[in-house]
Amino acid sequence: VKHSTIRQSSGNGIVVASNSSATILQSEITGNALSGANSAGTLIARLNWWGDASGPSGIGPGSGSAISGNVLFEPWLGQPVSGPFEWTMALDSPDPFPQSGGRTAFFGTLVEPGNWTITLKDFAGPIVKTFTGSGSSFAQDWVGDNASGTPLPNGSYTYQLSATSLGAGQAASPAIGRVTLNSNLPVAN
């Protein structure tokens, strides 16, 4: 399901039964009475607007529409879908990751070439690192350091993927998520 509005349901906006899977993206899921999404199966629900820039509530970190069950919701959109310039894919992996010898990669694909920015913030909100580039897709590694190359402490960091099309200059709705730095994890070789 893509480019849909799921709102004002008297129950759950989306329900996925056990042993089932579904994917929804670039949609607006808001104002449903019980929850935006409830999944006993697997629901891939990345790149959706949940009614608040902080993301979905329930198992999510924000105050938007609630989600429960097995819902893969990161990153979410930080504002309503703006199309036609948009993200077709965005995520980070692995998450969590260890700092000493570890890394995570941010992946993004846009519908057309654009200038993109990845902004990382710590739990208090200050920007700790920024990456920029251009193209219709990217894979950007982060080793858990700040702009000066100093290793950052364990914790949860927020990332925002922003992009502006090279052609029309339109901004895509920002994609927002969290990544966890945990130096207690083993490093795979």
Side-chain angles (χ1 to χ4, degrees):
V1 177
K2 187 174 181 181
H3 297 129
S4 297
T5 300
I6 300 168
R7 61 182 167 91
Q8 307 305 325
S9 164
S10 61
N12 297 300
I14 302 167
V15 176
V16 177
S18 62
N19 299 320
S20 297
S21 63
T23 300
I24 183 166
L25 70 144
Q26 291 293 344
S27 294
E28 296 182 17
I29 306 163
T30 62
N32 298 290
L34 296 178
S35 73
N38 182 341
S39 179
T42 300
L43 176 60
I44 300 170
R46 295 182 172 104
L47 299 172
N48 291 298
W49 168 247
W50 298 94
D52 193 89
S54 62
S57 60
I59 62 170
S63 57
S65 291
I67 56 174
S68 61
N70 190 19
V71 181
L72 304 174
F73 62 90
E74 291 190 63
W76 61 87
L77 295 179
Q79 65 189 40
V81 177
S82 60
F85 183 66
E86 64 188 16
W87 299 100
T88 58
M89 186 276 294
L91 59 93
D92 72 291
S93 181
D95 185 7
F97 75 100
Q99 185 157 50
S100 179
R103 67 186 62 238
T104 193
F106 296 98
F107 301 94
T109 305
L110 297 157
V111 295
E112 65 183 71
N115 292 317
W116 53 264
T117 301
I118 304 169
T119 305
L120 288 145
K121 297 180 180 182
D122 69 15
F123 64 91
I127 295 172
V128 295
K129 185 103 178 193
T130 302
F131 299 99
T132 60
S134 62
S136 57
S137 65
F138 63 84
Q140 177 65 58
D141 285 345
W142 180 49
V143 295
D145 61 345
N146 66 16
S148 302
T150 304
L152 292 167
N154 286 344
S156 183
Y157 294 83
T158 301
Y159 64 87
Q160 179 169 309
L161 310 177
S162 304
T164 303
S165 72
L166 292 176
Q170 181 189 13
S173 297
I176 302 169
R178 301 166 299 165
V179 60
T180 302
L181 187 56
N182 184 345
S183 60
N184 297 319
L185 295 172
V187 176
N189 292 319

